[in-house]
Amino acid sequence: FPFERHIECYPWSLILELCLQTSLAPLRTSCLSVWDVLRNAWLHLKVRVNVQSPQNEHPAVSKMDVPTRILIKGGKVVNEDDSFMSDVYIENGKIVDIGCDLKVPKAGVRVVDATNMLVMPGGIDTHTHMELAFMGTQAVDDFYIGTKAALAGGTTMILDFVIPQKGTSLLQAYDRWRATADPKVCCDYSLHVAVTWWGEQMFMAYKDMFMLGDQELYSAFSQCKEVGGIAQVHAENGDLIAEGAKKMLALGITGPEGHEMCRPEAVEAEATHRAVTIAHAVNCPLYVVHVMSKSAANVVADARRGGRVVFGEPIAAGLGTDGTHCWHKDWAHAARFVMGPPLRPDPSTPGYLMDLLANDDLSLTGTDNCTFSVCQKALGKDDFTKIPNGVNGVEDRMSVIWEKGVHSGKMDENRFVTVTSSNAAKIFNFYPQKGRIAKGSDADVVVWDPTSTRTISASTHHQAVDYNIFEGMVCHGVAVVTISRGVVVYERGS
């Protein structure tokens, strides 16, 4: 039975991700006692619901289940390795044929005019946290609003995170996430499942939450190697962050700028290097989530150039803006940009990360979309350590990367497809079902206008959050039509 098991450290937490393409056979006994808990689990989700109805009371007759026929005419098909003029015929959720002058049924076929436009695989956002309960509150983008916004931006699949409470059942947590997401999602999704405990020991996700030490990392990476998985790490040194936060507060630095000051680049780079070193010691491939700094990116780049199997994931926020906003005189404005690892105050960082993404030193892109309102951010008004960490990005990722990458001349359209969908599909084991325009692939397609522009604004975006960290950015490259599993779910603003 083909399947993947991934371990993620969040930062230095243990996370087990199962991307199963079939039901599990009983797993063999191993040193990780929670394997027994996961027997017969089905954790790779491909859920289709009605984009028009968040309630989805009657999924059997929802719009997403209605047989559809679509002919995309006159566009340029763009895959990771090739671009060519071609029509695309879709039927019952799959790409059936590609070519010119296709023979299709005379009736019941919707024609989408893609003249002067690009026809690309729908985007895959590898890193989201929809309606996550975190730091005393809950993210405002739920699975309906978040996936609806994703589709508006040309993304047709997200990978979200199940993060159980310490010591609780993984399957119960998984069931809760399914019960929350299934009635709401507007597109396909998958779940990373966090293992926040191992045997009798508790592990923590920031200092005093889920942090792992080196010995546990070595054991986790070894187990991951044994079962053929990928170790994923959120790379920051939790001990140094905790001590740095104490120092900042003792100095009277309580504002959002203190968040970055106690988590400098060296803290991210050191942890990234440590993860690369431990992974190499056990010959385990490594995936580093949200690479935010030049220093950490250089560690990933050096490892890749040295022949190690390491994948770096910068996010839309780190590619499209910077951390100078955290020093803004308006506290509410500054707090909007607080996330971990932090956006860096060096304004040349986004361009540097884009350079490495363009030349394959970094591999793919996510968003870490985890949105909190201005009022929620105000929980940390007098103490930056209490500001809920998270920013937006799920709707704007594709346009930001096109603007900063393709329009700027740093990457071509094929590399754009690689970093927004194809590499994600390959790493997480659903390629070429996703991430490619090809016969037999899922009809997750975006018709993209490379010359149109839009101005990003909270007043027009589809997300629930009441601000946008890319406010005022003019982006060339706009999703005109988004097709999810063979159904037009977004078209020219609607």
Side-chain angles (χ1 to χ4, degrees), residues 335-340 368 370-372 377 388-392 467:
R336 298 171 185 177
F337 294 81
V338 170
M339 64 166 296
D368 197 11
C370 188
T371 54
F372 299 98
K377 292 278 188 175
N389 288 197
V391 296
N392 63 281
Y467 57 86

Side-chain angles (χ1 to χ4, degrees), residues 129-167:
H129 299 281
M130 301 303 176
E131 54 191 283
L132 176 67
F134 185 54
M135 297 184 72
T137 188
Q138 180 170 301
V140 294
D141 282 335
D142 67 10
F143 277 96
Y144 172 65
I145 294 172
T147 54
K148 180 180 177 181
L151 289 168
T155 290
T156 55
M157 183 175 183
I158 65 168
L159 282 75
D160 204 81
F161 284 78
V162 175
I163 304 180
Q165 295 297 314
K166 295 185 293 184

